[in-house]
Every structure is written in C-alpha cells, then in structure tokens.
Amino acid sequence: MSFIEYGDMIKEGDTAVVFLGHESMFPVKVQHGGKTQTKYGVIRHSTDLIGKKYGSKVTCSKGGWVYILYPTPELWTLNLRHRTQILYSTDISLITMMLELKPGSIVCESGTGSASLSHAIIRTIAPTGHLYTVEFHQQRAEKAVEEFEEHKVGHLVTVKTQDVCKNGFGVTNIADAVFLDIPSPWEAVGHAKLALKHEGGRICSFSPCIEQVQRTCLALEEHGFTEITTSEILLRVYNVRTISLQIPDLGKADGNSSTGVDGGNLSNEGALCPNLQQETIQFKSGVPLKEMVGHTGYLTFATKNLF
Amino acid sequence: MEASPRSPSPHVICEGDWAVLKRDDVFKAVAVVKRRKIVFEKQWFCLDNAIGHVYGTSFEVTSGGSLQPKRTLEEMNPETKEAGTDNRNIIDDGKSQKLTHDDIKALKDKGIKGEEIVQQLIENSTTFRDKTEFAQDKYIKKKKRKYEAVITIIKPSTRILSTMYYAREPGKINYLRYDTLAQMLTWGNVHAGNKMIVMETCAGLVLGAVMERMGGYGSIVQIYPGEGPVRAATSCFGFPKTFFDTLSEFPLSKLASILSGTFSLTSLPSESEEKTPVAKDKNGSGDDKELSIPEVDMECSPKVAMESGQPEDQEIAGFASDALDDKAKGTTYDKQKKQEEKKRKLIAAAALLKNKDADGLIVSSRFHPTSLLLLLLELVAPSRPFVVYCQFKEPLLECYAKLREKGGVINLRLSETWLRNYQILPDRSHPKLIMSGGGGYLLTGITVKNESINTSDCLDEPSSKKRKLQEHH
C-alpha cells in the first residue's frame, strides 16, 4: 500500500479504509493480530484482511459486512484526524489544476495543518516531484512526518518547522508552485516569490475572509505577480430520489376526461396509478441537500513571471 | 524522433512548440511557426520575433505585424490626482470627448502607440477630472484594453486549455467547465503509474488533462466511438512523444467482444481496412490548419483529420502546410508502417483491457452514460474510483439508479460545482457581475467486488476472477 501507487492485496502495515455504508467509513492500520470493532462486530486483521483483495466484502463477527477500500487522498481527506480545519477535495481539485501541478512539480506549502492537501499534492507530483511543507506548530509537524512515513510517501516530502512569514520556505528558486493557507498570507508573499523558480511559477492563497484576500492581492501586486484572480468554488450534492406527486382533482366536466393531465405526455404511463382517487405521477429527481457548505474560503491565484 | 529541435530551456519559446496567446482573458492556442500570419482578437501578426523569448513574455503588436516585447506595464500618470467626489454634476451630453471617431482613427493610422492614444483620450475628455478616482481608474482600464493590445505568450496547460475551450468552444467539450474537469481528475485519483480508461468526446481535452497528470507514467486506453479518437485539443498540450508511447486506443464498437472474450486478432484486418479511408482522407485533405503536430503524427493525424473542416480549426492555427505536405503524402512504406503501428497499438489496448484491472475510469461524452458505464465498469479493478461527466443531470439520475441495481459500486455521488469569480480592488471588492450558469454534472463512485460474488472465496486468482465474471453474464 502506498498513497501514490495502487496495489491489489491488503498487507501488514497498510492503511485501509473500512466502508460501512453511506458516508460512514474510517481508516484502519492493518496489523497481524489486530482487531477493529465496528457496529457489525469485530474484524480480525490476520484472517479477515491480510491477503484479501482491496474492494472485497468482509463479514464481521455479528454477520454484518463492510467493504475494505484502498486509501486515496480523497478518502483520506474524509477520514483523517483533524488537527486543524482542513481543505476538502472540492477546493483541492481547483488548487491542483490552477497551480498546474503534475508529476515532477516542486511545490511549497504552508501550513501543513492536518496534511489533507499535502497528501493530494504528493499524489499528483509523484514520482519525480517534491513537496516542501512548512508548519510552525511542532506537534503538528511531527505528526505529519509520521503520517507521511506510514503512508510510504516520506521520500517525496520535506517538513520544516518554522514560521513561514518570518523565515520563508527554506528553499529558493526551485518551486513551480506555492500554496498558502495561513492567517496572514500577505506577510509570506515575498518569501513565496523567493521560493519560486527564476523563470516563474504559480501561487495560490486560501483565505476565509475577504479582508485577508484584499491584503493578499495588494501584496501580490506589489511583488510583481500577474494574472491575479480570486474565485470561490461551491459543491452541490444531489440525492437521487423517486418522487411521486399527486395529481389534483379538478372535478369532472361532462364528456371530458377527468384529470386534465394528458396521459400521452407522461413519460411513464405505468407510473399513473389508476383506480385510486389520488392519482400520482412518479419521476426521478436530483434533490439538493437541505443544507450545503456555503463557504470554505476564497482562492486567490497569481503568476510569477520572469520580470 | 522528429520533434522540433529543443531549446536549452523548456521555458523558451521555440519553433515547433505549441503556445497559447493571451490578451486579457482571451486565449488562443497556436503552433509556433516562422513566417506565418496569425489572427487574434482582430489583429494580424507573426510569431517570428517571439521565438527565443521566455514563456510569459508580453508583446505589443506593431505595424507590419511584428511583435515587440513589452517588459513592465508602467502605470499611467500617477501625478494627476485631481478627481471629483461624486457624479452630481456630470451630464451625459455625448460631448465630453472632444476627439471624434475620425481623429482617433487618424491617430491609429499614424501608428501612434496605444498608450499615447489613451493619454490623448484622457486629455480630451472634459469630464475626466470630475470623475471620482475609481471612475477614472475604470475609464483608463477600459481604454487601455481597447487601444493597448498586449499579447502574452504562455505555455499550454490543462488550466489554460480548459479555460480556453470553455470560453471559446464549449460545444466542443460538452460544456465541461474547467472546475468540473478539475473535480474529475481529483475524484478519478489520476496520477503517475495508473492504468486508466478514458472515454471522451471532448476534442481530446479530457484525455490531455489525464495525460498531463500522469506525466508519461502508466498507461491510458482511450475508448473511441466511430472511426478514430479525436485529439485536436490533446495536440495543443505539446506533449513529448514519450507520452504517446503510453497511450493506446480501442474502438467502442469492439468492447462487447472484449468482455465476452470473443475479441480476436483475426478480426483485425477488416478493422484496418475500414480505417484506410480515414487515412486517405487525411492525406487528401490539403487542409493545413489542424494537421500540425510533427511529434505525434503517428497516433494523432487520423483523428486530427476528422476534426478538420469544423469551425474549431479557425481557432487553432497550425503549422505551415508545405512542411506537412511531404509528410502527408507519405510513401506506401510509411502507410504500411503506420498500419502496423496501429495494429500493434490495438493489440496492446486489447491486452490491457482483457485483464479487467484498470485503475480508474473517466467518461465524458455526448452519449447517454448508462450503457457506457455498465459496460466499461466491467474493465475496472475493485476499489478504484470512476467519474462520469454529463452536461445534463437527468441521464445521471438514471445511471445512478441502474448502477445501484447492478451493484459492484459504492459511495455513489451526484454532484455539481459552482464557480464564482471575484473582483478584488481596494474598496471595490465584490463577486463578478456574471457567473457561469452551469458546467455540467458528475457521478462519482468506487468499484467493489460485486455482491453476488461468493465472499468466502479469498483466493483471487485471475482465472477465478474470469470465471466469476462469466457467471455474471
């Protein structure tokens, strides 16, 4: 198992994702003799997991079953232990594309936080790229290093414990892209410029508040960045439902059909329930969730040019 | 390989490169060819002078169509800081500008620099000084955009090309907005080393995006409808030839035979015959606009040819035709070689598909997705992500229901993203007036072993897997 390379079999030391059902899953570290409790009973790693294929159904002790999934950065983002507020895959997707990340890219990031974005970056820039990530919180930095090793991507990432606003990224003129998710990104813009390659590169800053964006944009302009754009991406998820709507009883006019709904127009005539007083029409709909995430942060992108 | 002679640095604009022209927010992909006129935003020019400059350099078009590098964009007259506070006394009498249309045209004809024209317009505007500081700023920006044509030459990327296609030719890519494409790449876990299946009718843009993310590592099988895959947009990326070594294609119409195990190489000769007319068509068409990609001629020309004659060709200028004619004519030997190559690729693609162990599936086409997906998912290994794009929500609702019914997939999610762009200026920050009304819908999920399969069977030898799949049909 590695976050950057698929494998078929579940092995000792792997991080696997236990999928219990809709929106309910958690990561598990596979160990000989290990046991994991679920609401369907216990999973014994040695017999239930090791040697099986990812994507298999595993029957738990109480007879219920779960699926065991291969870990991807997207599943990890949904399941990791939060040490900070994290970036989710919707924003991560746009960041990755707009920073033009690809295999071989050299990326600087700060702060590391819970390493949700870090895992996605590493996945994208492997096997020849490198991530330099800066986190001034000692404990968070250590935890991130531990995770990277556990996920077998340690060779692709360097974690530095320092204040990016004061000390920068610790590298100069090597980055293709810089990502900032810190409270005062405008203080790090100069360091970001220094970290980027001579020939130029891309930068992105994530901020929840418009005032932060305002200051960041000013700083970017002062440092000669171009193509400064700010956007916001919102995810809308739809539940797929079959809906029945009742046909109103409009009373009977003599000689006319009763309902006023032309049967020929119905996409599915079988859906019309005759005989009953209340006739209904069924259709499939994508129903928006009652509540959705309305704001995560503004994403400001810019380009460093040679001049 | 016959790719253009590489410059010492990939950051330098070279003859034979694919580059993107940018003016404000308008993009256009072009092949860098000497002595070739290009039309962009109502201007004619040649790229000769741009060769040797670094990507990201801005140019000004001078008379005679040559490009002059423009370094820093100096801010205009910061000393004239005279401004009004409100517009209570500004009357729209249509007479505030003392220069007439003819005067302005005369200035332009004289070849006067754009910034000087803007300066003249300001000086001859009676209301400029009464405008608020913000209004002055806006006025200058507007005039600059019109009279100071600055063209920046940038390197192609998924970011640039997907933005360009969505703005210029959304119909060609089924209205797939760039942020939706970004979601597809992420949710498909597209990365180096993957074995991907891509089925698209987005001019090859989605394929190009997948290729960029895989960086030449792993393999891609492109499933194509009709005669051959369309890769007009793919060629704009300017990928090195090595990237195409990992790419093969397989006809959609032969997929069922792969699944039933009846696909055989004996069916190949007819296959190649049926392709010959396409090749001829390509050779016959003297159309130079799209036939342009020297480094990828083998795989790309037939598909590119399919696109020629379509309006898009106007958007993407290609190489000079004379350079190509030699190649296009080709000898019989060349034709045979290509035929062989095609056959080899088809066999390779079939072999990849037969294992039914792909690491991911990306579908983005103009076709109804349900039947495509039910078939293609058979070729994907368990515990792998898949992503289906559709411009409309309704077909994905059906697809969702059918997949649920069939099983073998979990974590199904129907989603859409909204993208809002902002104007950020001191004291003038707000969302942009116009936002995109829609960029399509995605159905994502993860494959698992189908439920009807006996779970007690832990030994998953390939043979047993095959047997199970057969039992299924």
Side-chain angles (χ1 to χ4, degrees):
Chain A
M1 189 286 308
S2 153
F3 272 66
I4 56 165
E5 206 173 17
Y6 280 118
D8 287 340
M9 297 290 182
I10 304 169
K11 296 194 300 289
E12 161 98 24
D14 282 8
T15 299
V17 176
V18 180
F19 184 91
L20 285 92
H22 188 62
E23 307 261 299
S24 166
M25 49 183 150
F26 58 86
V28 60
K29 183 149 180 164
V30 180
Q31 281 164 323
H32 273 293
K35 284 181 192 172
T36 300
Q37 289 293 340
T38 73
K39 61 179 173 183
Y40 303 120
V42 73
I43 301 171
R44 286 170 219 284
H45 295 193
S46 302
T47 52
D48 295 337
L49 298 182
I50 295 173
K52 285 211 180 174
K53 267 196 153 187
Y54 280 103
S56 300
K57 198 190 244 184
V58 168
T59 311
C60 307
S61 62
K62 287 184 196 162
W65 43 265
V66 296
Y67 282 108
I68 308 296
L69 299 180
Y70 200 89
T72 62
E74 289 60 54
L75 288 176
W76 181 247
T77 288
L78 293 173
N79 291 297
L80 56 82
R81 189 183 289 267
H82 285 214
R83 301 184 282 271
T84 55
Q85 179 64 259
I86 65 161
L87 279 167
Y88 287 95
S89 299
T90 312
D91 286 304
I92 289 173
S93 305
L94 196 64
I95 292 164
T96 309
M97 182 196 267
M98 290 304 186
L99 286 181
E100 304 187 343
L101 304 189
K102 55 190 181 223
S105 296
I106 309 291
V107 185
C108 289
E109 174 203 34
S110 188
T112 315
S114 307
S116 168
L117 175 67
S118 311
H119 278 82
I121 293 176
I122 292 167
R123 174 264 315 273
T124 305
I125 64 177
T128 48
H130 200 86
L131 171 67
Y132 296 89
T133 182
V134 175
E135 170 62 56
F136 67 2
H137 190 286
Q138 182 79 34
Q139 203 189 353
R140 277 183 223 148
E142 281 165 11
K143 194 75 195 129
V145 171
E146 208 176 288
E147 268 173 19
F148 294 139
E149 290 303 329
E150 208 167 278
H151 297 156
K152 301 185 181 70
V153 294
H155 58 295
L156 293 166
V157 52
T158 307
V159 184
K160 284 203 175 74
T161 313
Q162 60 190 40
D163 184 347
V164 74
C165 295
K166 292 200 177 75
N167 311 107
F169 291 95
V171 290
T172 43
N173 296 330
I174 65 164
D176 297 289
V178 171
F179 177 79
L180 296 171
D181 179 7
I182 51 173
S184 51
W186 56 91
E187 291 177 23
V189 166
H191 294 295
K193 191 181 176 186
L194 210 64
L196 285 165
K197 281 179 177 161
H198 270 299
E199 310 88 67
R202 295 276 293 165
I203 185 172
C204 174
S205 171
F206 174 93
S207 296
C209 305
I210 199 76
E211 291 82 0
Q212 293 169 302
V213 176
Q214 190 89 61
R215 296 181 74 166
T216 307
C217 284
L218 276 176
L220 286 167
E221 205 166 332
E222 276 164 24
H223 282 92
F225 283 88
T226 59
E227 281 191 288
I228 304 168
T229 60
T230 298
S231 43
E232 180 183 32
I233 185 166
L234 292 176
L235 176 73
R236 287 176 66 85
V237 174
Y238 297 96
N239 283 325
V240 180
R241 295 248 189 285
T242 303
I243 313 278
S244 310
L245 286 185
Q246 208 180 311
I247 297 166
D249 182 6
L250 302 176
K252 268 189 185 168
D254 288 335
N256 275 334
S257 66
S258 60
T259 57
V261 173
D262 180 5
N265 274 344
L266 298 174
S267 56
N268 185 359
E269 288 194 49
L272 239 171
C273 314
N275 301 330
L276 290 174
Q277 290 242 292
Q278 301 162 337
E279 288 182 309
T280 60
I281 294 180
Q282 287 196 338
F283 60 92
K284 279 210 172 60
S285 178
V287 185
L289 307 188
K290 188 167 164 254
E291 278 185 332
M292 57 176 266
V293 175
H295 181 67
T296 53
Y298 301 104
L299 292 166
T300 298
F301 297 97
T303 303
K304 176 193 169 181
N305 284 320
L306 185 63
F307 318 113
Chain B
M1 82 186 198
E2 58 211 314
S4 54
R6 256 336 301 185
S7 66
S9 155
H11 302 284
V12 174
I13 302 166
C14 283
E15 191 172 11
D17 278 2
W18 274 92
V20 176
L21 309 175
K22 175 181 187 288
R23 182 178 163 185
D24 297 319
D25 294 325
V26 186
F27 298 101
K28 176 175 178 148
V30 293
V32 181
V33 177
K34 278 189 180 161
R35 291 179 304 281
R36 156 168 273 212
K37 272 190 180 175
I38 285 169
V39 193
F40 179 49
E41 292 287 279
K42 296 178 195 157
Q43 284 182 302
W44 285 91
F45 52 88
C46 289
L47 291 174
D48 297 38
N49 285 357
I51 294 169
H53 285 280
V54 176
Y55 279 101
T57 306
S58 294
F59 297 89
E60 248 186 323
V61 182
T62 57
S63 52
S66 77
L67 293 172
Q68 289 307 318
K70 189 178 169 90
R71 298 231 154 179
T72 40
L73 305 165
E74 285 156 35
E75 275 310 304
M76 311 249 330
N77 52 346
E79 75 280 0
T80 55
K81 273 293 166 222
E82 197 185 329
T85 49
D86 57 45
N87 59 9
R88 75 182 75 190
N89 294 317
I90 295 182
I91 300 151
D92 182 11
D93 55 4
K95 289 179 203 156
S96 60
Q97 182 54 254
K98 283 183 290 188
L99 290 181
T100 64
H101 276 292
D102 293 337
D103 294 337
I104 297 167
K105 193 172 177 296
L107 286 174
K108 275 207 260 183
D109 290 345
K110 265 193 259 172
I112 284 180
K113 275 199 168 180
E115 46 198 304
E116 281 163 32
I117 297 179
V118 175
Q119 193 56 46
Q120 295 237 19
L121 286 169
I122 292 168
E123 277 161 21
N124 287 289
S125 166
T126 51
T127 50
F128 186 80
R129 259 164 292 274
D130 300 328
K131 287 180 195 281
T132 64
E133 206 180 309
F134 295 153
Q136 288 181 354
D137 200 39
K138 200 170 168 183
Y139 181 87
I140 293 170
K141 272 195 186 141
K142 218 167 133 189
K143 297 298 173 196
K144 272 190 165 185
R145 200 169 300 148
K146 191 165 176 192
Y147 295 101
E148 287 183 38
V150 177
I151 289 156
T152 308
I153 301 184
I154 51 181
K155 248 185 133 56
S157 64
T158 303
R159 166 177 78 99
I160 301 292
L161 293 174
S162 58
T163 314
M164 178 185 92
Y165 263 94
Y166 189 73
R168 291 182 85 101
E169 304 204 81
K172 281 266 161 65
I173 55 167
N174 305 307
Y175 289 80
L176 169 67
R177 209 206 291 128
Y178 45 97
D179 55 309
T180 313
L181 176 59
Q183 303 299 314
M184 293 173 72
L185 297 167
T186 297
W187 285 104
N189 192 20
V190 179
H191 66 282
N194 266 11
K195 179 177 178 179
M196 293 296 297
I197 299 177
V198 177
M199 158 70 207
E200 66 129 279
T201 60
C202 293
L205 177 73
V206 174
L207 176 70
V210 171
M211 286 171 75
E212 183 183 274
R213 284 292 175 88
M214 289 178 57
Y217 302 92
S219 59
I220 307 170
V221 179
Q222 183 182 12
I223 310 292
Y224 62 87
E227 303 276 300
V230 177
R231 291 178 186 162
T234 318
S235 58
C236 297
F237 283 82
F239 291 128
K241 188 183 175 298
T242 51
F243 278 35
F244 288 90
D245 296 339
T246 63
L247 173 63
S248 54
E249 56 263 2
F250 194 83
L252 184 58
S253 57
K254 294 267 188 287
L255 262 189
S257 69
I258 283 277
L259 279 166
S260 62
T262 56
F263 178 81
S264 69
L265 299 180
T266 51
S267 67
L268 280 180
S270 65
E271 169 71 17
S272 7
E273 269 167 40
E274 146 191 331
K275 286 248 174 91
T276 322
V278 189
K280 265 183 200 152
D281 177 29
K282 171 204 66 178
N283 294 340
S285 75
D287 190 281
D288 55 346
K289 283 168 185 159
E290 282 284 350
L291 290 172
S292 40
I293 330 92
E295 60 268 65
V296 294
D297 58 333
M298 214 104 85
E299 298 81 7
C300 272
S301 334
K303 304 89 197 181
V304 162
M306 297 205 31
E307 279 269 303
S308 26
Q310 294 179 32
E312 182 185 21
D313 303 309
Q314 293 154 12
E315 307 292 340
I316 299 152
F319 282 91
S321 55
D322 45 346
L324 272 147
D325 267 333
D326 300 334
K327 200 169 289 158
K329 274 173 202 154
T331 58
T332 344
Y333 173 71
D334 272 351
K335 218 178 259 174
Q336 251 172 14
K337 226 171 93 181
K338 275 184 191 174
Q339 202 83 200
E340 282 298 303
E341 172 72 11
K342 193 173 278 174
K343 201 166 162 180
R344 196 184 60 74
K345 285 238 167 188
L346 189 66
I347 293 167
L352 283 170
L353 295 176
K354 264 182 196 158
N355 291 330
K356 299 178 180 176
D357 63 351
D359 292 324
L361 171 67
I362 305 266
V363 176
S364 175
S365 79
R366 60 173 188 274
F367 299 107
H368 197 290
T370 307
S371 57
L372 273 177
L373 214 63
L374 290 176
L375 197 68
L376 287 167
L377 276 177
E378 299 280 335
L379 304 171
V380 182
S383 197
R384 299 293 188 272
F386 64 90
V387 184
V388 196
Y389 168 82
C390 189
Q391 190 189 339
F392 312 102
K393 199 199 289 175
E394 291 73 12
L396 292 178
L397 294 173
E398 193 209 297
C399 196
Y400 182 105
K402 282 274 155 50
L403 286 178
R404 266 288 181 80
E405 208 174 284
K406 181 154 185 266
V409 292
I410 54 165
N411 219 26
L412 286 182
R413 189 184 79 171
L414 177 62
S415 69
E416 173 197 19
T417 48
W418 283 8
L419 188 70
R420 191 161 213 191
N421 291 311
Y422 284 80
Q423 166 179 301
I424 305 291
L425 287 170
D427 298 324
R428 284 157 291 166
S429 296
H430 57 73
K432 291 257 171 82
L433 201 60
I434 304 289
M435 70 183 270
S436 160
Y441 299 84
L442 294 178
L443 179 61
T444 59
I446 301 172
T447 56
V448 288
K449 287 207 195 172
N450 208 324
E451 286 168 28
S452 56
I453 290 166
N454 185 1
T455 49
S456 65
D457 186 359
C458 302
L459 297 166
D460 273 308
E461 297 306 318
S463 61
S464 73
K465 187 180 172 187
K466 200 176 285 171
R467 194 179 64 236
K468 280 179 206 160
L469 282 157
Q470 277 163 358
E471 278 165 16
H472 235 79
H473 290 282

